[in-house]
């Protein structure tokens, strides 16, 4: 949470361990330091193509934000602004849809302004939510439902950011919680239901999800053998 170099080292190990030569894009969900404090260390050792963020991140009254942007500029890494409604194609098959936040809108907190992304490939959808909550979560839930195979639990699985209305809106089959021993994963069973699998990085370590060209979804965790996610019908 507060050790950016350790976070960068863990990510670097995952990238190099998979034989990847570079990271095409780093996404900064919002300006809470635990969501970006490792990026300046990471870019010193792993080539990064660009950094994707929303304009609300650029609050230069926050010294860590200003320092991060200055160091990225010195490294020659471009910053790319994005907002609700943008469609980003990684290739002809992989689409990223930006669901939140809106262009030019102000929000009550950094968390409320978190980027929310829908990644779609081979009939599957993964929702990345950052710390979206309160005003931002209400805005997200006002959109048409996005049934997700995988949902990153907003705000580390906190109760307020994971209401029953979100479970109904996304209907996830797998919820991933990025957090520590108090990440609230035991309460999430009541929210998302007994048929939803819940994985926590506290228990599993790094979690890798792979979607095959045939639409099969597989999971791999550092602390257990790879296993397939529960079979689901493809829309």
């Amino acid at each position: 949470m507060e050790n950016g170099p350790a976070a960068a080292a863990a990510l670097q190990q995952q990238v190099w361990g998979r034989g990847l030569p570079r990271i095409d894009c780093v996404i900064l969900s919002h300006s809470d330091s635990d969501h970006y404090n490792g990026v300046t260390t990471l870019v010193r050792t792993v080539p990064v193509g660009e950094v994707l963020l929303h304009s609300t991140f650029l609050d230069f009254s926050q010294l860590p934000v200003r320092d991060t942007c200055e160091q990225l500029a010195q490294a020659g890494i471009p910053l790319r602004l994005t907002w609700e409604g943008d469609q980003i194609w990684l290739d002809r098959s992989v689409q990223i849809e930006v669901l939140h936040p809106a262009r030019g809108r102000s929000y009550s907190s950094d968390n409320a302004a978190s980027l929310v992304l829908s990644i779609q490939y081979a009939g599957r959808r993964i929702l990345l939510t950052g710390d979206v909550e309160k005003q931002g979560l209400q805005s997200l839930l006002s959109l048409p439902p996005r049934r997700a195979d995988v949902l990153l639990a907003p705000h580390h699985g906190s109760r307020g950011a994971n209401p029953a209305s979100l479970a109904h809106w996304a209907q996830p089959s797998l919820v991933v919680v990025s957090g520590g021993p108090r990440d609230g994963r035991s309460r999430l069973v009541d929210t998302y239901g007994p048929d939803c699998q819940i994985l926590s990085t506290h228990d599993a370590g790094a979690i890798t999800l792979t979607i095959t060209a045939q639409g099969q979804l597989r999971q791999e965790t550092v602390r257990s053998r790879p296993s397939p996610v529960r079979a689901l019908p493809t829309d």
Side-chain angles (χ1 to χ4, degrees):
M1 297 287 285
E2 301 300 331
N3 192 335
L11 181 54
Q12 174 186 288
Q13 183 181 30
Q14 292 296 316
V15 171
W16 287 357
R18 287 168 169 75
L20 302 176
R22 68 193 299 269
I23 296 174
D24 295 317
C25 180
V26 169
I27 299 166
L28 305 184
S29 61
H30 63 298
S31 57
D32 279 359
S33 63
D34 59 308
H35 286 255
Y36 70 91
N37 59 11
V39 68
T40 55
T41 301
L42 180 69
V43 299
R44 295 183 193 133
T45 55
V46 179
V48 171
E50 66 178 356
V51 170
L52 188 71
L53 46 79
H54 186 262
S55 57
T56 54
F57 181 91
L58 302 175
D59 178 5
F60 295 136
S61 67
Q62 300 183 52
L63 183 58
V65 169
R66 187 171 64 194
D67 288 346
T68 295
C69 291
E70 288 178 351
Q71 292 186 52
L72 291 173
Q74 291 171 7
I77 299 173
L79 303 182
R80 177 179 177 184
L81 297 181
T82 191
W83 34 71
E84 178 187 335
D86 280 356
Q87 305 283 336
I88 303 168
W89 291 89
L90 297 185
D91 58 27
R92 294 181 179 179
S93 303
V94 182
Q95 179 192 23
I96 297 177
E97 179 185 9
V98 182
L99 302 180
H100 179 77
R103 180 196 296 260
R105 183 175 177 182
S106 60
Y107 292 87
S108 57
S109 67
D110 293 336
N111 284 355
S114 285
L115 277 172
V116 179
L117 306 179
S118 168
I119 303 174
Q120 299 171 72
Y121 174 65
R124 301 290 186 176
R125 176 180 283 118
I126 297 174
L127 289 178
L128 303 181
T129 60
D131 276 354
V132 68
E133 61 179 356
K134 298 180 180 178
Q135 176 195 12
L137 185 58
Q138 292 174 2
S139 296
L140 179 67
L141 296 181
S142 69
L143 299 176
R146 300 297 201 281
R147 184 180 182 277
D149 298 290
V150 182
L151 171 70
L152 177 65
H155 203 186
H156 312 281
S158 70
R159 185 190 300 272
N162 290 268
S165 54
L166 174 61
H168 179 73
W169 184 83
Q171 300 182 41
S173 295
L174 170 62
V175 170
V176 175
V177 186
S178 176
R182 299 180 181 178
D183 58 18
R185 58 195 181 281
S186 59
R187 298 191 302 268
L188 296 182
V189 174
D190 294 332
T191 299
Y192 292 102
D195 294 331
C196 179
Q197 182 185 11
I198 298 173
L199 282 179
S200 168
T201 58
H202 175 68
D203 296 327
I207 298 170
T208 301
L209 299 171
T210 302
I211 302 173
T212 70
Q214 293 74 37
Q216 295 176 320
L217 182 60
R218 298 191 177 97
Q219 67 188 39
E220 178 184 353
T221 61
V222 168
R223 295 178 185 155
S224 65
R225 294 182 178 180
S227 59
V229 174
R230 187 177 296 107
L232 298 169
T234 301
D235 294 340

